[in-house]
Every structure is written in structure tokens, then in C-alpha cells.
Amino acid sequence: MQKQFSPSRPCRVEDVPHWDSETDVVIVGFGAAGSCAAIEARRAGAEVTIFEVAAAAGGSAALSGGEVYVGGSGGTSAQRAAGFEDSTEDLFKYLMMAGGPGADEARVRVYAENAEAHFRWLQEQGVPYKGSYLPGKWLEPLTDDTLVWSGSEQAWPFSAAAKPAPRGHTAQHDGWSAGKVLMEKLCGRAEALGAAVHYSSRALTLIVGKGNEVVGLVVRIDGEPRYVRARRGVVLAAGGFIANRDMVARYAPGALTCDTQVSAGNDDGSGIRMGISVGGAAIHMDQFFATVPYFPPESLVKGIFVNQSGSRFINEDAYHGRIAHYVLRQPGGHAWLLVDEGIFGRPMIHRDMTIAAVGESWDEVEQELGMPEGALVHTVEEFNRLALEGRDPYFHKSADWLRPLTKPPFAALSYCKGDLPSHAFTLGGLATRTEGEVLNADGEVIPGLYAAGRCACGLPRWGEGYSSGMSLGDSTFFGRMAGRRAAGR
Amino acid sequence: MQKQFSPSRPCRVEDVPHWDSETDVVIVGFGAAGSCAAIEARRAGAEVTIFEVAAAAGGSAALSGGEVYVGGSGGTSAQRAAGFEDSTEDLFKYLMMAGGPGADEARVRVYAENAEAHFRWLQEQGVPYKGSYLPGKWLEPLTDDTLVWSGSEQAWPFSAAAKPAPRGHTAQHDGWSAGKVLMEKLCGRAEALGAAVHYSSRALTLIVGKGNEVVGLVVRIDGEPRYVRARRGVVLAAGGFIANRDMVARYAPGALTCDTQVSAGNDDGSGIRMGISVGGAAIHMDQFFATVPYFPPESLVKGIFVNQSGSRFINEDAYHGRIAHYVLRQPGGHAWLLVDEGIFGRPMIHRDMTIAAVGESWDEVEQELGMPEGALVHTVEEFNRLALEGRDPYFHKSADWLRPLTKPPFAALSYCKGDLPSHAFTLGGLATRTEGEVLNADGEVIPGLYAAGRCACGLPRWGEGYSSGMSLGDSTFFGRMAGRRAAGR
């Protein structure tokens, strides 16, 4: 027997026994996309009701580093204060490369042209930015500085295509997880503007009219289904699906080996499934952000990654999430980071990292790893010889990070399957117009349905191109657009 | 204004003005899956009507090599005649590896256990198999032999996991495209059993009842929409989406660089879109078969592929479709096949292959290709040294294909983006039960809707693991199951 409600089976309006409540815009999820959608919908004069499955506001964004990827228009105030000019065209080019072969040019264009204004908007909502720049390579600032390098901007091939600038803007906060500051401000603002928020409220399924238009939502509150009419539309802002292992297996099996979910726990794909249930197209569902957070300390960036053939496979100064995808697909799931005494340090967030081999010579390390005879030694010798000349013609690692690995003892840190500390969240989701309307597989609008954040397939849609701050940049920016659009229907 | 009918907007039964006709089972598409579904549905006593958009039978399968990937149960008659035992467990293991991280164990199991019986069934339908074995490496037999090696069975890592056997069974036919023989027999059989076939008939959209169950199909015949009631169900067997560039861009952007569509032209994804329109989940949509048909002559398998760093990246004796995926993802889209005078020959189906460099020494070739100094020379010297010993500890190429590249002149055949002759079709499609019912994103059955062939996501769902004959094996086998299931509803 099927259970009464399923996100995959919409409720027909004829089957609604009565309306428990009515509003203009229903928003599912009170995280980054949902809060921004609510702010804009309220500002456009719409009545807004938010249903959040958790007992508190903020969604997965509240647990994140809180970075927002913005720039262009000559630079944000923070970029300019730190001496970085950032043209819209450079931001555009970087985002197009980052979007990979499926990049959405229209979406990238509107974002690049408005990202700097979006940063000012975030400030207007009360999000605090100290405006100070923290140089170096970090996962997120552990000081209260608020501008960092958060992607592959300075790394090949991105650096060859677009002038680099740091674009990771984090809310001011000492230590990890500035996302909670960001989300306190955005959620607080949405409530202050009069959005009604219901917590511990699970969206059960969409309600559709005769033309398949979305007219409301069934939501479970206090154990009972409530029928909520949405006069203007429903905005799905319920996150991705990394917490749903069945969906990961079916849609993004490459992420199955990642052991840590970047999620507050409710990224169960129910928002995406509701969209699919009314004919919404879910696209790029195989793509995911992954990271092997192998630094800080940043000295480790001077190490080199090798596979079981003893060959390098990437410029190690690329974004850690790009490196993760290369690591994950090495033959047999085997990869090691080679370091010498001069750069060794335990990775800050995986201090118990497995050290697979140690030796007084690279030959010893090679033997311990069971590689083909001479393979590793040749790779390191060649790397060392060229590093001395400040060159990496093989992988184009920037000279800043080139240093011969000549100081024994030598070691190989394991990034092999099993030892691999890897963190992931999903990037695929519902196809939408730039303005937020959910599209069916023929690219037609499904009336009354909107999506943003990781429910939608937005700006970040290619794991190899992801940079920190792209997901929150996308969620907050396109969340606003979806809220405005729904309110104006 | 929206057009009247779209595969992405189902027609509600209330909006059907009248029924033009009525049958038990409607089948969309008269290719491999559709013909086999029709045969079984007729044998189960159901009235069957097939709508085919083309003016003739056979679909894309009729243009193919007609290989069906079968074995197990100790071996088919053809395998046993050639001296190959083939256990169900070895077939199962190979298919599981071939399915990649998203392999569907239940589906693989039922296929492995019944593949040999399925081969006998194909013979019973009149498909001619000479039963003779053609050794060597071929894309498809150009003689009238009917058993060939059609995958990576003898290549690492597959060979290490499952005992190899040739499993490509082709209909008896002299020259390319034995698929036309296969399809003539299967389609002829379906018609002989009394399936009604309408050609030049475009399926416009599904018709759904109040519970979202599928009750019929709107189809355009002679320019007019016809409303066809399906008492038991609709089987979508309309192929994949390689011929729809919009869908490829949104779902499988990795295939955009492949210049040749493996399709009779109607793989426009309309079947998949109809499934999506009623809430069907489309899975593994990013996956595609690709090939760079770099042999025959098989001597070329003794060459080595290198990337722009002068590094090898795969054992060159793997299936050509697996190699294609590795080639496609090399940095910058650059890859070359290195050959010497002893093995050189023009690839049979791309005789105008670009020769990127020729030299009397590997050093000359290296310079001509602009690789880092010494990189290519080192790779070739290392390969040659180990090949003399019959070993390839780097990529585990089988000793049968190891031979030093020492006979000048030397050459590099270009498999770089732009020069690359690559052929593709899509592997993603609707999620189905093994028996054929289409599933929504919560894994629930959509009543009355079935899918098979490349409309569904079947056995082959990972480009890197594909072997010739898997698509037709899947389409014919699971087409049968879907037809039987729909008839029995």
C-alpha cells in the first residue's frame, strides 16, 4: 500500500478537502534561498508563509563557512580596499569556466553583472563585513577577516583565461562557520519584514490545478496534513539531496564514496522530488561539490599528488574541490600527497591523516607504496629539477607553490579510497528560468512553481569548477529573484 | 503562446474529446525494445498497437552492428562451440563492473541469469546466427561470423575480476550493420503475431487519469491528433536523446564534443520527456556511450595513447568506448596515439585521420607536439623497456598487445578535440522496475507506464563500462519484460 502523501505524487486541487490557510507566496525551506526569497517577496508586497522542516532557521547554510562568491563591476568595496580591481568580464569568464560544459550563459551573465550590487544588498540586510583581506590559502577565514581567495582564480587553466581576484566574501565572525552570522541576519530580516515562519513543518506534496499549475502545498504540522493555498506561487528552497543515499545512488553515484555530508541533515531531495512530480526537469544531477581538505597548513600545497603509477595528475594549487574530483577518479581510487620535511604539517581538519609511507629517499617511499620501479623517483626528480627553475610545464602549477621536495624524511599522505576524508553536497537540481520559474523537460514554465538554492540547478553545476561561495552566492541571489518573481505573478 | 501539445504536458483524460481508437497495450517506437515488447505482449494475449515516428521499422538498432551482449549459464551455443565456457557469475561480475558506481544489482542479476535463454529466444524469433567465432579485435564482424569480443573482458581491470569470454553475438550478415537483419526479424515477428503498426505517427503526449495513471496516448497521424486509449498500459520505447542537442546540453554536456550521433535520427528524447511529464524520474542522464574507433587494424592497439604531458593514461587494449571517455577528459582535450612503422595503418573507418607529428626519433615527435622536454621520450623508453619484458606495471595492458615502439619513422595520430572522430549515444533514461514499470523519484510505480531500451536507464548506465551489445541486449531483454508486464496488468 502506498502511503497517503508522497512528494512524488502531487495532490490534485479537486482532492483538497478544505483550505487550512491561504497566502500569496509559500516558501519551502528557510535557508539561504528561502530567506532571500521571503525578503524580496515581502518587499514586493506579497503575503509570505515559510515552512521549515527543522526546528530552527538557517538550513545547511547556517553550518557553512558563509562565503558568498561576488565581484565584478570594478570590484566590491572589500576587493577595492584590498587593491583588487575585478571587472564584470573577468568574473563572467571565470564563472563560465567554472560552470563547465553545461554552463548557463544567461544565468552567469545576470549574476556577473549584478554580483557587486548583491553584495551591497547583503550589507543592507545587516550582514556584517569587516572588509579586510586575508591573504594565503584557506578553506575559510579563521580570523574575523572577510575577504579571501576561495577558488581556482590564480590556478591554471582559470588564471590563463580570467584576471584573478579574491571573491570569497564571508560575514564577520571569529573562527569556523560564519554561515550562522549570515543566516541569522537574513532570516531575522525576513521575519522582521513580516514573513510568517512555521518550524517543524514538513512539506508533504504540491497541490496542482487542472492545467498542472501549482496552487498550493500540503504540509504536516503537529502530525496533521494542512492544505495551504498559494495565490501566487510556491518557491521550493529546500536544499539538495546529499542526505538521501537512495537519491545519491541513482543520480550522483560518484558521490557515494564521500563520507561526510555537507548538510544540516535535511537535504533529502524532497524539494527536488516535488518539482519532478509535476513534470519539472532535474538537470546535471550527477554533479556534486567534493573536497579533500588537504590544507591548511598551506605549506602542503607545495606537495605533489601522485597516483598508483607514480604520476602527477593536477596542479596542486587548484581549488581543493577541483583536486578532490581528480583524486576521486584516479585508477583504483589511489592517490597520495608527497611531502618532505620542509613542508610537512598535519592537515588542520584531518590531523589523523593516514601516512602511507615514510623514507629517507624517494626510492624507499616508492617501494613502500608498491609503485612501478623508478616511476615515483622519476616523477619527483623531474618535478624538483623544474621547480628549481620555477617551472611546471606538465601541470602549470604557479611558481609561488613550486619548491623541490629534497629535504628528508619524505612522506606520502594517503588520499586513497578508505583513508580519504571527503565532504560533499549535490549541485544538480530543477531546471529553472533565470527568474526562478521551474521548467519542464521541453523548457516550458510550470505555472506557479519556483525554485532556488540547491533545489535548483544554478550557477554551480560542475564539481570540477566549483569555488567556495558559489552555492551561497547563487542561493541568495537567485533566491531573491525567485521571491520577486513569485510575488509579481 | 504554448503549442497545443507538448510531450512535457500530459493530456488529462477529462480533456480527451473522444477516443479515436482503443487497444490493450500502446507501444511508442518500433525499434529493438518496442518490437520485443510487442512480441511478448501479443504472446500474452494482449491487443497491441505500435506507433513509430519513422516511415519504416527498426529504429536506431537497424543501423547498428546488431550485437547482443549475452552469455552465462555455462555459455551460449556459439560460445561453447568456440570452446568458451561462460559462467553466470562471471557475466554477473563483468556487468556489475560495467555498470559503474550506479550499477543496478537486481537488474544485472536477472539479466545474467537469463541471457543465455534470451539468446535462444532470439534464435526462435528467426534471427540467424551462424555460430562461428571471429578472433581478434573488431568493432563488429565484417565477415558473416557471429561471435566476437565486444568489450573490455580481456583487459584490466575487468580481466582481473571476471573470467573473460567473448559475448558479442551478431546476426549473420556480411559486412557492416548486421542490425538490419536483427531488426527485420524482430519487427517481422511482431507483425506476424498481430501487432498493429502505424508508421509516420508521432506520439504527442501521454493521457493521464485522476490518479496520475497513464490511460492512453495522443498521437499525430496524417497531421491530426488521435486519442488512443490503452486499457493496460503504454510502453515507451522511443530511444534516447542524442539527436536532441538541447537535451544533451542540459543533461549530458560531456557528449557535446562528440560529432557523430549513433542514431537513426529520432532519438530526440521525446519518450523520456513524456515519462518526465508524469513524474517519472530520469536517472544517470549524464552518461553516454562514446567511441573513438581507432582500430581496426588491430595492430594500432599496440600503440600507446599519451596526453599533452606526454603521459599515458589507460591500457590501450580496453574497449574503444572506455578509451574514448579517457581521451575526452584529458587536459585541454589533447590526446595522441603513438605508433611506429611496424604497427602503423590508417584506422579503417577514419582513414583521413590527422597525423599530428612524424619523426625519425621520438624526440622529434615530442618537439613537434610541443610537449615538456623529455616527457614523451621518457614515457616511450619506459614503455619499450617493459614491453620487451612483456610487462606493463603502469596500466596493465595485456602482454598480447605489448611491443616496443622502436621502428622509425614514428608518428602521433591526433585524438585531440577538433580532430577527434567520436560517435555517441545516451545511456540515461527513465528509472524503471526490472519488470518495466516507470518509477517516480520516490521509487513508486506510475500505474500504466512502462519503458525499455534507451528511453529507460537500463543495464548500460556508465560510459566507461559500456561494451558493444549491451544496449541491444538490454533493449531486447527488458523490452520483452516490459511488454509481458504491460500485457498482464
Side-chain angles (χ1 to χ4, degrees), chain B residues 14-69:
Chain B
E14 305 94 299
D15 299 330
V16 171
H18 58 267
W19 294 114
D20 288 289
S21 64
E22 196 169 311
T23 187
D24 290 328
V25 176
V26 163
I27 298 175
V28 182
F30 198 26
S35 60
C36 290
I39 292 169
E40 291 289 5
R42 283 299 298 144
R43 283 161 54 126
E47 195 183 333
V48 173
T49 305
I50 300 169
F51 297 102
E52 165 59 48
V53 69
S60 296
L63 298 188
S64 77
E67 277 162 298
V68 173
Y69 197 90

Side-chain angles (χ1 to χ4, degrees), chain A residues 11-305:
Chain A
C11 174
R12 285 161 65 115
V13 71
E14 304 94 298
D15 299 331
V16 171
H18 58 268
W19 293 114
D20 288 290
S21 64
E22 195 168 314
T23 188
D24 289 330
V25 176
V26 163
I27 297 175
V28 182
F30 199 26
S35 60
C36 290
I39 292 169
E40 292 289 5
R42 283 296 299 142
R43 283 161 54 126
E47 195 182 334
V48 173
T49 305
I50 300 170
F51 297 103
E52 165 58 49
V53 68
S60 296
L63 297 189
S64 77
E67 278 161 297
V68 173
Y69 197 89
V70 287
S73 303
T76 62
S77 55
Q79 288 177 312
R80 281 182 280 110
F84 294 99
E85 227 190 286
D86 191 11
S87 78
T88 298
E89 212 46 38
D90 284 315
L91 175 59
F92 174 80
K93 281 187 209 151
Y94 184 81
L95 291 173
M96 283 301 290
M97 278 187 83
D104 179 342
E105 189 170 338
R107 190 177 305 265
V108 169
R109 178 60 69 191
V110 70
Y111 187 84
E113 286 176 354
N114 294 284
E116 186 273 333
H118 181 56
F119 178 61
R120 285 185 277 118
W121 182 89
L122 290 169
Q123 291 175 298
E124 285 159 22
Q125 308 315 305
V127 183
Y129 290 98
K130 188 176 167 192
S132 55
Y133 166 60
L134 178 68
K137 278 184 92 78
W138 300 95
L139 299 173
E140 48 187 271
L142 303 180
T143 59
D144 72 345
D145 295 304
T146 63
L147 176 65
V148 292
W149 293 96
S150 69
S152 292
E153 300 84 0
Q154 295 176 299
W156 187 89
F158 300 91
S159 57
K163 188 182 160 199
R167 301 194 182 103
H169 292 67
T170 63
Q172 187 173 354
H173 172 70
D174 250 312
W176 299 102
S177 305
K180 68 183 167 194
V181 176
L182 176 73
M183 293 315 301
E184 273 166 20
K185 294 300 179 184
L186 293 175
C187 292
R189 180 79 177 143
E191 294 201 78
L193 285 170
V197 187
H198 298 266
Y199 294 99
S200 306
S201 304
R202 179 174 294 278
L204 296 176
T205 197
L206 294 170
I207 301 169
V208 293
K210 287 178 194 284
N212 196 43
E213 73 281 13
V214 173
V215 299
L217 182 78
V218 188
V219 56
R220 189 170 62 218
I221 300 179
D222 297 334
E224 292 297 322
R226 313 280 171 167
Y227 298 85
V228 183
R229 190 172 159 226
R231 294 183 207 101
R232 304 193 192 173
V234 172
V235 179
L236 299 172
F241 61 95
I242 193 65
N244 181 328
R245 301 311 274 176
D246 276 356
M247 280 185 78
V248 171
R250 269 178 295 152
Y251 288 107
L256 284 172
T257 52
C258 297
D259 57 357
T260 305
Q261 298 165 11
V262 180
S263 170
N266 288 311
D267 291 279
D268 63 357
S270 54
I272 295 173
R273 283 179 277 140
M274 283 191 279
I276 291 174
S277 78
V278 295
I283 61 174
H284 301 301
M285 291 287 280
D286 58 305
Q287 292 296 315
F288 58 97
F289 160 83
T291 181
V292 290
Y294 76 99
F295 66 86
E298 70 173 25
S299 65
L300 289 171
V301 177
K302 296 175 183 166
I304 58 176
F305 276 102

Side-chain angles (χ1 to χ4, degrees), chain B residues 68-124:
Chain B
V68 173
Y69 197 90
V70 287
S73 302
T76 62
S77 55
Q79 288 177 312
R80 281 183 278 111
F84 294 99
E85 228 192 285
D86 191 11
S87 80
T88 298
E89 212 45 37
D90 285 315
L91 175 58
F92 173 81
K93 281 187 208 151
Y94 184 80
L95 291 172
M96 283 301 291
M97 281 187 81
D104 179 342
E105 188 169 339
R107 190 177 303 266
V108 169
R109 178 60 70 192
V110 70
Y111 188 85
E113 286 176 354
N114 295 283
E116 185 273 334
H118 181 56
F119 178 61
R120 284 185 278 118
W121 182 88
L122 289 169
Q123 292 176 295
E124 285 159 23

Side-chain angles (χ1 to χ4, degrees), chain B residues 348-370:
Chain B
M348 184 181 288
I349 64 172
H350 288 282
R351 301 192 57 82
D352 57 347
M353 192 73 216
T354 301
I355 297 175
V358 180
E360 288 301 310
S361 69
W362 285 113
D363 188 51
E364 272 177 64
V365 173
E366 177 185 291
Q367 286 180 42
E368 231 177 301
L369 296 176

Side-chain angles (χ1 to χ4, degrees), chain A residues 302-361:
Chain A
K302 296 175 183 166
I304 58 176
F305 276 102
V306 294
N307 61 23
Q308 65 186 14
S309 294
S311 298
R312 285 175 69 207
F313 50 83
I314 193 165
N315 47 325
E316 296 83 1
D317 58 343
Y319 178 63
H320 50 89
R322 179 172 173 84
I323 287 174
H325 280 276
Y326 278 73
V327 164
L328 288 171
R329 71 185 186 211
Q330 292 309 307
H334 292 298
W336 297 271
L337 180 66
L338 306 183
V339 298
D340 71 358
E341 175 70 15
I343 62 170
F344 177 72
R346 287 191 175 269
M348 185 180 288
I349 63 172
H350 288 282
R351 300 192 58 83
D352 58 346
M353 192 73 218
T354 301
I355 297 176
V358 181
E360 287 301 310
S361 69

Side-chain angles (χ1 to χ4, degrees), chain B residues 115 138 224 235 262 419:
Chain B
W138 300 94
E224 292 297 322
V235 179
V262 180
D419 295 330

